[in-house]
Amino acid sequence: MAAVVGSQDLRKPVVLALQTPAVAACYYASGQLGLLRELVVEGAVVTPIWPPTGVSVACLLLFGLRCWPGIALGAFFVILSLTSPSPSALGILAGNTAAPVAGYLLLRRAGFRTDLARLRDGLALVFLGAFTAMLISSTTGAVLLVLTGRLEGAGFWPVWLAWWVGDAMGVLIVTPVLLLLARVRPPFRLTRWREATGLAVIVCCVVPLATHSHLSLLYLVYPLVIWAALRFQLAGGMVCALFASVMATVSATDRVGPFERLTRVEVLMKLQAFNGAMALTALILSAVITEQINTRRSVERACQELVEVLEHLTAGEAADGRAPPREDGPGQRRDD
């Protein structure tokens, strides 16, 4: 027993030593991916979707609070790739680390389950993990930009809103996909693969057209997201929403299609409204459908167990030589 305990105690530092750089690498890679598409608001560069927040919350939910040094290290390297170290950069680093940690603590207190199989889990991720927790990073960043003179006081609220929405979109879009991938285990069941293939083909054709057409056809994406969520729950709904959000972000940053001839603020507002609607529709609808399916399966199992119990009781009575009462006619009853 002492040897087993000793090996476990030695394993924890090794796991932490490997986990920290792995989380930092994922954070940094997702940060560089998010920086590929930028928007300028009041002279400040913001990203419509900031994937590192989604990566951070997912890592905390999967590995626990011990992975926060990896988040801080990854955020440090992302900031280092953009600017030189300074007190304001360290403040932004602290805010970007504290926000996902706060989201994780709020979700854990709310009894969040990573399978997102309940409506309350979807709502908790939206209102606690995304909307509430990301207030920390956006407020810290915008305040520091004003204090250091990089941002005029009049531009505080637009930059704060863009920062907050970008961080929240990272949680709403990226975190569910990563939690889904973490649950994938072989062998893979190819149920309804024909429908899945057809849906994928239609999505790959319609979404680029809707997000790049000057006719403003973004509404065509909603039926596809609903279809994916109804038939394939979280796997279908969130992957479809992620693809639609990425394509819309590309169109918005290129100022083409429905985002053409709009001001920078109008582009940001229209894009974030679309991304938010996609993420909320896919996440909440998937959670509702999954919860209903699980409830139905629970009822079916309970009915099956009840049938088995009745069959067992009936078989036991027959073995004792007793038969159940038999009706002879209306209002009459006879025991054999």
Side-chain angles (χ1 to χ4, degrees), residues 69-94:
I71 297 173
L73 186 62
F76 174 76
F77 283 116
V78 171
I79 294 175
L80 196 63
S81 67
L82 298 174
T83 183
S84 58
S86 63
S88 62
L90 294 178
I92 294 175
L93 168 64

Side-chain angles (χ1 to χ4, degrees), residues 199-218 220-221 224 240 243-252 256-259 274:
L199 175 60
V201 171
I202 294 174
V203 167
C204 291
C205 294
V206 173
V207 171
L209 174 65
T211 54
H212 286 76
S213 174
H214 67 280
L215 297 177
S216 188
L217 301 176
L218 291 177
L220 293 178
V221 182
L224 300 178
C240 183
F243 179 68
S245 297
V246 170
M247 295 304 299
T249 301
V250 171
S251 176
V256 298
F259 303 96
F274 175 77

